[in-house]
Amino acid sequence: MLLRGRPRTLGAAALLLLLLIGFFLFGGDPDCELGGEREARRGGGGGGDPRSVPGSPTPRVPPDGRPRSQGAATFDGDPPADPRGHNRSDCIPPPPPPPPPKCELLQVAIVCAGHNSSRDVITLVKSLLFYRKNPLHLHLVTDAVARNILETLFHTWMVPAVQISFYNADELKPQVSWIPNKHYSGLYGLMKLVLPSALPPDLARVIVLDTDVTFASNIAELWALFAHFSDKQAIGLVENQSDWYLGNLWRNHRPWPALGRGFNTGVILLRLDRLRQAGWEHMWKLTATRELLTLPATSLADQDIFNAVIKEHPWLVQPLPCMWNVQLSDHTLAERCYSEAPDLKVIHWNSPKKLRVKNKHVESFRNLYLTFLEYDGNLLRRELFGCPCPPPPGAEQLQQALAQLEEQDACFEFRQQQLTVHRVHITFLPHKPPPPQPHDVTLVAQLSMERLQMLEALCRHWPGPMSLALYLTDTEAQQFLRFVETSAVLSARQDVAYHVVYREGSLYPINQLRNVALAQALTPYVFLSDIDFLPAYSLYDYLRASIEQLELDGRRKAALVVPAFETLHYRFSFPSSKAELLTLLDAGSLYTFRYHEWPQGHAPTDYARWREAQAPYRVQWAADYEPYVVVPRDCPRYDPRFVGFGWNKVAHIIELDAQEYELLVLPEAFTIHLPHAPSLDITRFRSNPTYRDCVRALKDEFHQDLSRHYGAAALKYLTALQQPRGPA
């Protein structure tokens, strides 16, 4: 992250405005008249309310002549629904209440579990941040998977004026596990019922959101609707926009009890203080227990129970204007809302089909969603000017470090990239961790969009677990998702963990990417590879056997060297054994890696000895050595100062040697580099003398730090540096 002021988002805002304008041109309600037309028919002039605007929508007046505000209801027992089964009084809302104070902290609660739901939360949060003008406190009820993902994401996103609190969903399961639920959300779909007791007791108000909603307005406007609550009302909901609770969708359809069409719980305003005072926990449990005597299960999770409670205690609910929860299910009646409403506020994809739902206007709504799905999250790191909020953790130190950089420095680009904190979305796709095995090995690598085509071949060669860091934009992340979903090879692999590091800056942060992938490896050992290498088909099994035979379980600090080769042919027959590889090597179809360009990078492996070796052998470190190695998962991390091309692996091998790791070459192991177009960074290295000077400056600084850390033991590295060599 590079902190900065308010980004230039006018173009994106204009796009969203155009989309929204398109939504609302679908028609109107005959019961709603334009104020100007009504005045014309009455023969009225311009002497009405000075606040009225000619041509603006005017609400209906009920037969009793008493105007009612949108969503207002007078409860005497059950409030009567209108002839169409509505829990609303007017098609057009009253003038909105004044927004909350500019710097008031708005509280939002979301229940989230699993990998896919975590991705949905990020899109929802993007839409919140795009429009928000107030500080936010997000209360996230998560399982362990979602917490791990979202905790890392928000820590690295570093959005100002956003607080995050996590609550353990597993601890809440016993409170709802007794309720049979047929909804696809499972137990997590019932957890909104326990929020009054799960959230802090001093929290009085909260907006509760499903993960599949998208905001098209400032959430402060929704928060302001708390002002419409009477002294007793504690739950704000939008009417359910389908006939589900009317019980006529199919023969023998028996929904849970509800007022009229009932209410949808995708967007809820909760007065937690009033619910606690009213004995909410006893109330909903008593109602659910009674209804389950005659109904086998909930069909719509918490929504069924909320509606049953409201049916029995109608004084609890404050109906909200329909535009705050436009529901896009298969049988939605939402068009009645968005054809009447002056604008839409929240889109709710409340069908299991999500974006594939059938709706004649779905394309317009889908475009709104996709705008935020692919929106650059880096642009949302903007400050709320005029609101004194504590900075995100680490932001002050980062700002100070950036302020010390000299823009006139020829290496400013390198130093700025080193300080960049990238947003990180770990386990971007569903991932099943491997069962614990004492000698298991995870292949660790990093890649960008240009190397995506390597993944299928790598999966065929390496049947074991992998941890891969991908350097992508928000748009590329969605392209990658579709690539995996349409690949039979990749979609079948649940043991490959993909971690998206979002692109920012002009230099490739290679060692930061490696560290992300390395930190997420779950096996005791890791094979530190690169994405353009294909390992021998048997390497995974061979490495595990070698680790066991060498008794490396904490008894020896060793780095097992996997000899590297390369082919210059885009099509060639991959060797199935060492003997076949040697045949190809002798025929000139293969070479030792970078033999023509950088022989010292792998010369210490001693390929001549490897040809005849029957057992692992030890080699000594030498300057510029950069083999591919298998090491324990807790090995030293890569030095993040090395960005772009040059010396990134060399520095890591020096660190291993300084920490007294043995370098053991495995006699039957090999990996082969495949040809590809040169990266942008290597092209810049070759063509730009300043680029090479900056890499040399980073080398000097690395050796100085090495000397300070290891003292006299680092002298051999300093001596090696005196020899004129180019970087690896």
Side-chain angles (χ1 to χ4, degrees):
M1 168 194 170
L2 296 179
L3 295 182
R4 47 196 168 215
R6 185 178 299 273
R8 293 171 293 181
T9 57
L10 293 179
L15 172 62
L16 288 173
L17 181 60
L18 289 173
L19 291 173
L20 291 173
I21 290 173
F23 293 166
F24 313 135
L25 298 179
F26 298 138
D29 189 325
D31 293 327
C32 294
E33 299 179 308
L34 294 179
E37 294 172 354
R38 179 176 296 178
E39 287 298 315
R41 287 196 295 272
R42 291 177 178 173
D49 188 336
R51 294 171 296 177
S52 66
V53 179
S56 63
T58 304
R60 296 191 292 260
V61 178
D64 60 10
R66 294 179 296 171
R68 300 192 186 111
S69 63
Q70 167 70 16
T74 302
F75 294 115
D76 182 13
D78 289 357
D82 72 16
R84 290 179 288 181
H86 289 185
N87 291 310
R88 59 192 178 96
S89 54
D90 303 319
C91 63
I92 301 300
K102 177 180 178 181
C103 297
E104 181 178 351
L105 183 64
L106 309 186
Q107 311 284 344
V108 179
I110 304 170
V111 178
C112 174
H115 301 87
N116 296 334
S117 184
S118 298
R119 291 201 310 274
D120 293 337
V121 165
I122 295 166
T123 305
L124 163 59
V125 170
K126 282 183 181 180
S127 70
L128 286 175
L129 295 176
F130 185 87
Y131 293 104
R132 65 96 178 229
K133 296 180 180 178
N134 285 70
L136 298 176
H137 188 165
L138 303 182
H139 301 267
L140 304 178
V141 180
T142 63
D143 65 351
V145 169
R147 174 161 187 168
N148 194 29
I149 294 169
L150 296 175
E151 203 165 37
T152 302
L153 178 87
F154 283 110
H155 177 73
T156 55
W157 201 348
M158 300 179 77
V159 181
V162 174
Q163 302 176 34
I164 309 292
S165 296
F166 287 94
Y167 306 84
N168 189 346
D170 291 336
E171 294 178 358
L172 304 178
K173 283 183 178 180
Q175 299 184 51
V176 295
S177 59
W178 57 276
I179 303 172
N181 178 27
K182 296 188 292 185
H183 194 258
Y184 60 84
S185 58
L187 283 180
Y188 301 100
L190 297 163
M191 287 190 178
K192 284 181 281 186
L193 294 165
V194 303
L195 288 179
S197 59
L199 296 178
D202 59 345
L203 188 61
R205 295 182 293 174
V206 70
I207 296 172
V208 185
L209 302 173
D210 278 358
T211 60
D212 55 359
V213 302
T214 306
F215 270 72
S217 185
N218 186 354
I219 192 174
E221 298 175 32
L222 178 59
W223 184 266
L225 296 182
F226 276 116
H228 284 324
F229 282 39
S230 70
D231 292 341
K232 291 185 177 181
Q233 289 171 338
I235 306 173
L237 293 166
V238 170
E239 181 188 45
N240 194 49
Q241 293 165 2
S242 78
D243 289 338
W244 175 270
Y245 287 109
L246 299 182
N248 56 6
L249 293 185
W250 60 80
R251 188 177 180 182
N252 298 325
H253 174 214
R254 287 190 60 209
W256 280 55
L259 292 178
R261 282 204 167 86
F263 296 92
N264 183 277
T265 56
V267 177
I268 316 176
L269 270 60
L270 289 184
R271 282 296 303 258
L272 298 171
D273 50 350
R274 295 177 182 176
L275 288 174
R276 296 177 187 121
Q277 189 175 7
W280 169 253
E281 183 175 357
H282 174 75
M283 190 183 297
W284 75 259
K285 287 184 177 179
L286 184 65
T287 300
T289 301
R290 184 183 64 246
E291 296 301 330
L292 286 170
L293 294 176
T294 57
L295 292 166
T298 60
S299 296
L300 301 181
D302 65 87
Q303 182 170 302
D304 285 340
I305 298 175
F306 268 102
N307 274 289
V309 172
I310 291 169
K311 174 77 172 178
E312 188 173 357
H313 306 282
W315 50 268
L316 282 172
V317 70
Q318 164 63 43
L320 302 179
C322 67
M323 72 277 289
W324 284 106
N325 186 351
V326 177
Q327 302 148 39
L328 299 179
S329 60
D330 278 333
H331 304 288
T332 184
L333 303 174
E335 187 177 356
R336 296 179 181 178
C337 175
Y338 58 73
S339 65
E340 299 172 1
D343 59 355
L344 301 188
K345 306 294 187 180
V346 176
I347 310 302
H348 185 189
W349 302 91
N350 64 318
S351 165
K353 300 176 183 177
K354 302 307 176 188
L355 269 67
R356 297 187 298 273
V357 68
K358 295 178 181 179
N359 180 293
K360 64 181 178 180
H361 302 130
V362 72
E363 192 63 31
S364 297
F365 296 111
R366 187 184 293 120
N367 288 338
L368 174 67
Y369 175 82
L370 294 177
T371 298
F372 290 115
L373 182 69
E374 300 183 356
Y375 189 79
D376 185 354
N378 297 329
L379 300 179
L380 297 168
R381 289 165 161 166
R382 56 177 182 257
E383 297 180 18
L384 295 181
F385 295 107
C387 289
C389 299
E396 284 185 317
Q397 298 90 323
L398 176 58
Q399 199 73 284
Q400 292 170 3
L402 287 168
Q404 293 175 3
L405 299 182
E406 295 288 343
E407 292 193 29
Q408 293 75 25
D409 182 357
C411 300
F412 173 79
E413 183 183 14
F414 282 80
R415 305 195 187 285
Q416 186 184 52
Q417 188 75 59
Q418 296 164 24
L419 294 173
T420 300
V421 178
H422 296 270
R423 278 182 301 139
V424 178
H425 185 149
I426 60 174
T427 51
F428 187 75
L429 299 179
H431 172 243
K432 184 178 180 180
Q437 298 180 32
H439 310 112
D440 207 0
V441 183
T442 295
L443 187 148
V444 170
Q446 40 69 39
L447 67 152
S448 61
M449 199 70 177
E450 292 76 19
R451 302 286 183 262
L452 210 57
Q453 74 279 1
M454 297 293 301
L455 287 177
E456 290 187 347
L458 182 59
C459 282
R460 293 187 180 99
H461 279 251
W462 182 269
M466 289 188 272
S467 180
L468 306 176
L470 298 95
Y471 193 50
L472 306 173
T473 66
D474 292 74
T475 299
E476 288 173 342
Q478 299 309 312
Q479 295 170 356
F480 162 70
L481 174 62
R482 293 189 289 271
F483 178 78
V484 173
E485 289 176 342
T486 56
S487 167
V489 175
L490 300 182
S491 59
R493 292 290 297 269
Q494 294 291 304
D495 57 351
V496 180
Y498 301 102
H499 317 292
V500 174
V501 179
Y502 287 100
R503 185 185 295 273
E504 185 173 4
S506 58
L507 294 169
Y508 189 75
I510 185 166
N511 278 358
Q512 295 181 42
L513 296 171
R514 285 172 170 152
N515 285 339
V516 168
L518 180 54
Q520 298 305 317
L522 302 176
T523 56
Y525 296 89
V526 290
F527 173 33
L528 305 179
S529 185
D530 276 335
I531 197 65
D532 44 9
F533 278 82
L534 289 182
Y537 286 109
S538 60
L539 186 60
Y540 174 59
D541 291 333
Y542 176 64
L543 290 178
R544 292 186 297 167
S546 298
I547 291 168
E548 183 176 12
Q549 292 169 6
L550 292 168
E551 298 182 341
L552 299 184
D553 301 340
R555 305 175 190 179
R556 298 173 67 180
K557 291 177 68 173
L560 306 182
V561 176
V562 177
F565 299 83
E566 68 177 335
T567 178
L568 304 180
H569 303 287
Y570 283 89
R571 292 180 178 273
F572 88 112
S573 178
F574 198 94
S576 60
S577 65
K578 178 178 178 178
E580 286 188 18
L581 181 141
L582 292 176
T583 300
L584 293 172
L585 191 66
D586 293 337
S589 298
L590 284 179
Y591 302 92
T592 57
F593 183 53
R594 301 191 76 183
Y595 171 78
H596 301 89
E597 298 175 337
W598 186 246
Q600 60 265 46
H602 293 264
T605 298
D606 195 350
Y607 288 95
R609 182 177 179 183
W610 180 81
R611 292 178 68 104
E612 308 298 332
Q614 299 295 318
Y617 58 92
R618 184 172 182 177
V619 296
Q620 299 299 316
W621 174 87
D624 299 319
Y625 193 28
E626 52 172 1
Y628 293 94
V629 296
V630 177
V631 289
R633 182 179 58 189
D634 61 356
C635 69
R637 292 320 189 233
Y638 288 87
D639 193 317
R641 86 183 78 203
F642 293 103
V643 295
F645 178 80
W647 244 66
N648 42 75
K649 285 203 309 296
V650 173
H652 188 244
I653 297 300
I654 290 177
E655 191 74 41
L656 292 176
D657 186 69
Q659 294 193 20
E660 300 180 342
Y661 277 73
E662 294 180 79
L663 294 170
L664 298 175
V665 180
L666 297 176
E668 299 295 326
F670 62 87
T671 186
I672 299 176
H673 178 266
L674 300 185
H676 56 75
S679 66
L680 175 61
D681 280 295
I682 195 172
T683 302
R684 293 180 64 188
F685 172 81
R686 290 170 176 169
S687 62
N688 189 339
T690 302
Y691 192 112
R692 296 193 293 272
D693 290 341
C694 290
V695 173
R696 276 190 285 270
L698 295 179
K699 288 171 56 179
D700 292 342
E701 294 169 8
F702 170 78
H703 279 92
Q704 291 168 13
D705 290 343
L706 205 67
S707 181
R708 281 191 289 268
H709 188 73
Y710 295 104
L715 286 176
K716 69 175 182 178
Y717 311 116
L718 294 173
T719 302
L721 182 64
Q722 307 306 317
Q723 304 175 15
R725 299 174 183 269

